């Protein structure tokens, strides 16, 4: 079986060395030494000033919204994992959906201003598949209307634009360290902030609002990353560069073999950017012999498991489809893409001969019995 993704497990010996340190200190959670070490090393690796580790990316998003004191309405994209808008709902905020642009499938900055109302307090874009949003246009709109910008950067670990981390833009950025991501702490996430005052507030919010042993200053939650997960993250960080090289080679081979297949569209590669190659999406248009779903099932019949990601759209789920902004007429591009997209397998241990097999099946395997 070839899954759509597969976590890289670092050498067990390296992990055990960190576990021995945990057993020696007997410190399992609550901002332990490995947690602190991981924050420092991630700041250096990612090129950011401040990072706050979380037990998962969804709680990081929920907390980031609290930290920015958002309310009312927040403009966002329907083309994302549902946690993006769930985090708004849990903060009693109304998501307002804006359509996506057809190249990188990020929020269409030309549609944002029309969605702004007196209740709008922020923009919540997503760096879809790790490709950077139009950050300059988003910031210009935010500055004009006095809005906050919170980036869902779940896919964007290591993404750079003009040699600068994409995480340095906006008011806050949120990462996911789930096991399926390029970089993982098994479960986990993080908020990137730009000043110590904001980091301190975030760190209080993720730890019940405690300022010290006897003082609670905010209605916080429990979203701390434990020492075992921090240890896993420290080990994986040592391997991340070589894993990136492998992902890039897989991406390049897919592009080479699928570039001229009739009916298969590939997303462009962003200019002046370094991306993590988190996913390899293709779009199946009407010129292809079969529909997207037929191709999906055909690959499954050959033990190749892609993923229709993102399908269905967030705006089509019962929780959100009653919103005026969720109408198909308001989101034509997003609806088209959701019905055409298929993410192919990509992970560091995927063999190049398996990539060739997948591409052969896509290009000429449909008529095979």
């Amino acid at each position: 079986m070839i899954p759509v993704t597969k976590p890289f497990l670092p050498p067990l010996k390296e992990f055990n060395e960190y576990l021995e340190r945990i057993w020696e200190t007997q410190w399992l959670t609550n901002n332990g030494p490995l947690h602190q070490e991981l924050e420092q090393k991630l700041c250096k690796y990612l090129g950011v000033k401040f990072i706050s580790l979380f037990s998962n990316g969804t709680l990081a998003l929920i907390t980031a919204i609290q930290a920015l004191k958002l309310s009312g309405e927040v403009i966002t994209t329907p083309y994302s994992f549902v946690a993006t808008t769930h985090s708004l709902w849990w903060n009693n905020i109304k998501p307002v959906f804006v359509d996506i642009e057809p190249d990188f499938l990020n929020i269409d900055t030309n549609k944002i201003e029309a969605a702004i109302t007196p209740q709008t307090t922020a923009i919540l874009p997503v760096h879809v598949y790790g490709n950077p949003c139009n950050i300059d246009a988003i910031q210009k709109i935010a500055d004009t209307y006095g809005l906050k910008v919170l980036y869902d950067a779940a896919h964007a670990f290591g993404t750079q634009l003009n040699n600068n981390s994409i995480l340095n833009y906006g008011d806050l950025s949120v990462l996911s360290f789930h096991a399926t991501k390029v970089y993982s702490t098994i479960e986990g996430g993080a908020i990137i902030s730009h000043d110590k005052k904001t980091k301190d507030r975030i760190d209080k919010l993720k730890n019940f609002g405690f300022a010290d042993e006897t003082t609670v200053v905010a209605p916080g939650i429990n979203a701390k990353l434990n020492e075992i997960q921090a240890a896993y993250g420290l080990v994986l960080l040592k391997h991340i560069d070589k894993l990136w090289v492998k992902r890039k080679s897989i991406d390049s081979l897919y592009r080479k073999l699928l570039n001229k297949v009739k009916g298969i569209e590939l997303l462009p590669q962003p200019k002046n950017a370094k991306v993590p190659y988190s996913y390899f999406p293709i779009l199946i248009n009407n010129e292809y012999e079969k529909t997207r779903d037929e191709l999906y099932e055909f690959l499954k019949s050959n033990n190749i498991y892609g993923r229709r990601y993102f399908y269905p759209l967030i705006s089509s789920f019962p929780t959100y489809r009653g919103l005026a902004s969720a109408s198909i007429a308001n989101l034509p591009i997003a609806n088209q893409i959701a019905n055409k997209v298929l993410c192919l397998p990509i992970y560091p241990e995927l063999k190049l001969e398996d990539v060739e097999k997948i591409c052969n099946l896509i290009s000429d395997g449909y008529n095979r019995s």
Side-chain angles (χ1 to χ4, degrees), residues 181-232:
K181 297 297 187 289
V182 169
Y183 172 79
S184 165
T185 54
I186 305 172
E187 285 276 5
I191 300 177
I192 284 74
S193 51
H194 312 310
D195 60 82
K196 190 175 186 305
K197 182 179 179 181
T198 303
K199 175 178 166 52
D200 288 345
R201 173 170 169 74
I202 290 168
D203 288 345
K204 291 181 177 68
L205 285 171
K206 75 172 183 181
N207 185 31
F208 303 102
F210 277 106
D212 57 40
E213 185 178 352
T214 58
T215 307
V216 174
V217 295
I221 55 176
N222 180 12
K224 302 183 296 294
L225 188 78
N226 63 59
E227 286 291 272
I228 293 175
Q229 289 174 288
Y232 185 92

Side-chain angles (χ1 to χ4, degrees), residues 289-352:
E289 295 181 30
K290 300 292 182 181
T291 67
R292 184 274 309 274
D293 289 348
E294 288 170 337
L295 176 58
Y296 169 73
E297 293 295 340
F298 173 67
L299 292 176
K300 278 176 62 177
S301 71
N302 284 272
N303 288 321
I304 297 163
Y305 290 78
R307 186 175 181 188
R308 295 165 291 185
Y309 200 58
F310 297 98
Y311 168 84
L313 288 178
I314 296 174
S315 52
S316 69
F317 291 130
T319 305
Y320 303 106
R321 66 189 178 202
L323 298 172
S325 64
S327 69
I328 295 176
N330 186 54
L331 307 168
I333 303 299
N335 277 277
Q336 289 174 24
I337 296 298
N339 289 319
K340 295 199 301 184
V341 69
L342 180 63
C343 287
L344 301 180
I346 183 169
Y347 48 91
E349 294 176 323
L350 180 62
K351 297 177 181 178
L352 295 182

Side-chain angles (χ1 to χ4, degrees), residues 129-132 155-160 244 247-248 251 255 269-270 273-278:
Y129 305 135
N131 292 322
H155 300 169
F157 184 90
T159 296
Q160 295 180 1
W244 179 84
R247 284 180 172 273
K248 184 179 180 181
D251 181 281
R255 289 182 180 276
Q269 295 175 296
K274 175 185 176 183
V275 296
Y277 305 104
S278 306

Side-chain angles (χ1 to χ4, degrees), residues 102-262:
D103 292 332
F104 299 105
L105 315 183
N106 289 321
I107 193 168
D108 188 341
T109 55
N110 294 316
K111 304 291 179 63
I112 292 176
E113 285 189 88
I116 296 173
T117 73
Q119 287 72 48
T120 306
T121 57
I123 307 169
L124 174 52
V126 178
H127 299 300
V128 175
Y129 305 135
N131 292 322
C133 292
N134 188 341
I135 53 175
D136 292 334
I138 290 169
Q139 194 60 54
K140 183 178 180 181
I141 295 169
D143 292 342
T144 299
Y145 292 91
L147 306 176
K148 299 291 187 181
V149 178
L150 169 59
Y151 280 108
D152 182 336
H155 300 169
F157 184 90
T159 296
Q160 295 180 1
L161 189 62
N162 297 316
N163 296 315
N164 184 26
S165 173
I166 201 71
L167 304 174
N168 286 320
Y169 297 92
D171 293 282
L172 296 174
S173 290
V174 174
L175 290 166
S176 170
F177 297 155
H178 186 263
T180 58
K181 297 297 187 289
V182 169
Y183 172 79
S184 165
T185 54
I186 305 172
E187 285 276 5
I191 300 177
I192 284 74
S193 51
H194 312 310
D195 60 82
K196 190 175 186 305
K197 182 179 179 181
T198 303
K199 175 178 166 52
D200 288 345
R201 173 170 169 74
I202 290 168
D203 288 345
K204 291 181 177 68
L205 285 171
K206 75 172 183 181
N207 185 31
F208 303 102
F210 277 106
D212 57 40
E213 185 178 352
T214 58
T215 307
V216 174
V217 295
I221 55 176
N222 180 12
K224 302 183 296 294
L225 188 78
N226 63 59
E227 286 291 272
I228 293 175
Q229 289 174 288
Y232 185 92
L234 284 165
V235 176
L236 191 58
L237 193 59
K238 297 177 181 179
H239 298 268
I240 198 68
D241 285 335
K242 70 178 183 182
L243 301 180
W244 179 84
V245 171
K246 291 181 178 180
R247 284 180 172 273
K248 184 179 180 181
S249 67
I250 293 168
D251 181 281
S252 297
L253 185 57
Y254 270 134
R255 289 182 180 276
K256 177 182 176 182
L257 298 178
L258 294 176
N259 186 46
K260 295 183 180 180
V261 178
K262 186 177 181 180

Side-chain angles (χ1 to χ4, degrees), residues 79-94:
Y79 194 75
S80 180
F81 184 62
V82 74
T84 303
T85 42
H86 279 358
S87 64
L88 295 171
W89 216 243
W90 273 66
N91 279 285
N92 199 30
I93 293 171
K94 178 182 178 182

